[in-house]
Amino acid sequence: MYEDFAIKRGSPELLAAWSAVEIASWDILGKRAGLPVYNLIGGASRERVRVYANGWSRGATIEERVERGLQVKAMGFTAAKFDPFPGPWRSFVDRRDEDFAISYVRAMREALGPDFELLIEAHRRFSPAHAIRIGHRLAEFGIDWYEEPCLSENIELVAEVRRAVPIPIVTGEAIYTREAFFECLARRAADILNPDICVIGGITAMLDIAAMAQPQAVVMAPHNYNSTLIGLAATVHVSAVIPNFRIAEYFVNFADLCRDIATASLAMQDGWIELPTSPGLGVDLDVEKLRAHPHQEATHRGFRQYWEEYPRKGYTPSLR
């Protein structure tokens, strides 16, 4: 696919297809061998995999979002990720938008307590100057990471922030090749990498990236904006094996639908996933139920609705 069809030209679409074939191949091999995939790729180094909650932070006000955060904590999670920054994604941030984000994080810390891990997402939107200023303001709340403050295609921007901010920096969800991860590590741009197994080339690529990161004391926190089924299962198998694993992403808003279309799925309890013991990935789908939920093309309206839900009462983000 890569060498002959694409002539070594990468793209997210090609790599996603590559990942699908690669992950499916491991599942088939595991089922033929009668072994879970983690026993085919080195053997588990832990009995369960820790996950953090994402996909929960909806609401028109800070108060509504804090209430959702409390619900996540009540589900047993001890870490959650959210993007507190309002307004369209611009490199230069209005101070009112910045103040809103700081108020949101402060409210989350006060409500969830000092031991709950707050993982702050920035979606690659800032210039280094803004990212650094915001990072120093966030530091007082004891947040556990600051994810993708700058555009990862220009990895030196992320490295500049890492050198200036006293918070662990995460990048990787928008990096798709081993070569690009090598460059990220060479520039010392991140403390934590969050590659997505469904777009980097699958299980083998994730193992390679983890192996490159380990000698540089960089840990892995895999991204998983896919499902709580196949993508998460592949992530869990790799996370069980690699020694530099920290935590993986779990989208709580996907869980009900995925549970409905699954004939076998992973068990998540109190922010942990027990390793499956059945052959292959340990998950299976009811294909007919899956077909009842066909793909729907995303539209600009979806992004507009997201931002319209964001402001708190009496406040309109700038650059609307």
Side-chain angles (χ1 to χ4, degrees):
M1 288 173 65
Y2 179 61
E3 296 186 349
D4 297 330
F5 173 73
I7 319 174
K8 291 190 175 181
R9 290 174 296 184
S11 73
E13 294 79 9
L14 174 71
L15 289 165
W18 176 350
S19 302
V21 172
E22 202 267 2
I23 291 168
S25 299
W26 281 112
D27 188 44
I28 292 166
L29 286 169
K31 287 172 177 172
R32 289 289 297 272
L35 294 169
V37 168
Y38 56 77
N39 279 340
L40 301 178
I41 58 175
S45 60
R46 54 187 55 83
E47 295 179 349
R48 56 182 185 164
V49 168
R50 188 173 176 231
V51 292
Y52 67 85
N54 201 355
W56 54 271
S57 58
R58 296 289 182 181
T61 67
I62 289 176
E63 292 75 18
E64 290 174 1
R65 289 164 184 266
V66 168
E67 181 59 33
R68 293 293 300 274
L70 289 169
Q71 292 172 13
V72 165
K73 184 175 181 178
M75 293 168 64
F77 287 99
T78 55
K81 186 168 79 177
F82 61 104
D83 183 335
F85 304 101
W89 297 354
R90 303 290 186 260
S91 296
F92 292 85
V93 185
D94 185 275
R95 195 58 176 256
R96 294 178 305 154
D97 294 352
E98 183 180 317
D99 289 344
F100 175 83
I102 297 301
S103 296
Y104 182 8
V105 176
R106 178 184 291 110
M108 288 288 291
R109 174 55 73 209
E110 291 173 353
L112 298 179
D115 297 327
F116 194 90
E117 293 186 21
L118 300 182
L119 315 176
I120 303 303
E121 166 76 90
H123 284 115
R124 306 168 293 283
R125 53 153 76 68
F126 303 134
S127 68
H130 286 269
I132 291 167
R133 186 177 73 198
I134 291 168
H136 281 283
R137 295 188 71 185
L138 289 170
E140 69 170 287
F141 306 113
I143 68 171
D144 286 83
W145 79 44
Y146 188 16
E147 183 173 325
E148 295 205 310
C150 301
L151 193 68
S152 53
E153 283 89 339
N154 184 352
I155 201 63
E156 182 55 39
L157 302 181
V158 184
E160 183 178 342
V161 176
R162 180 178 180 265
R163 290 191 293 267
V165 171
I167 303 169
I169 297 297
V170 180
T171 198
E173 75 172 70
I175 300 176
Y176 307 120
T177 65
R178 295 173 178 87
E179 292 80 5
F181 277 102
F182 178 87
E183 180 68 15
C184 175
L185 290 164
R187 297 294 185 95
R188 301 290 296 156
D191 302 281
I192 304 165
L193 296 180
N194 68 332
D196 192 309
I197 204 164
C198 290
V199 78
I200 59 169
I203 288 171
T204 308
M206 187 73 87
L207 290 169
D208 288 347
I209 293 164
M212 286 193 293
Q214 186 183 0
Q216 300 210 42
V218 173
V219 297
M220 302 286 285
H223 184 260
N224 188 59
Y225 184 61
N226 308 295
S227 73
T228 55
L229 280 172
I230 296 171
L232 179 64
T235 295
V236 165
H237 282 269
V238 174
S239 300
V241 173
I242 58 176
N244 54 337
F245 169 75
R246 186 182 187 280
I247 197 169
E249 188 168 32
Y250 185 96
F251 269 81
V252 295
N253 55 327
F254 295 161
D256 288 343
L257 175 60
C258 290
R259 197 177 298 114
D260 180 58
I261 64 174
T263 58
S265 57
L266 303 178
M268 193 283 293
Q269 184 174 6
D270 295 334
W272 294 87
I273 295 176
E274 299 292 332
L275 298 189
T277 57
S278 54
L281 291 174
V283 299
D284 274 302
L285 305 178
D286 183 320
V287 175
E288 292 307 314
K289 286 186 177 180
L290 177 62
R291 285 175 175 156
H293 300 278
H295 168 74
Q296 296 180 14
E297 184 177 353
T299 65
H300 170 72
R301 186 172 180 273
F303 293 100
R304 182 174 181 180
Q305 181 181 5
Y306 177 80
W307 293 122
E308 287 175 349
E309 290 178 354
Y310 217 111
R312 59 183 170 86
K313 293 177 181 178
Y315 174 67
T316 301
S318 64
L319 301 174
R320 192 79 176 277

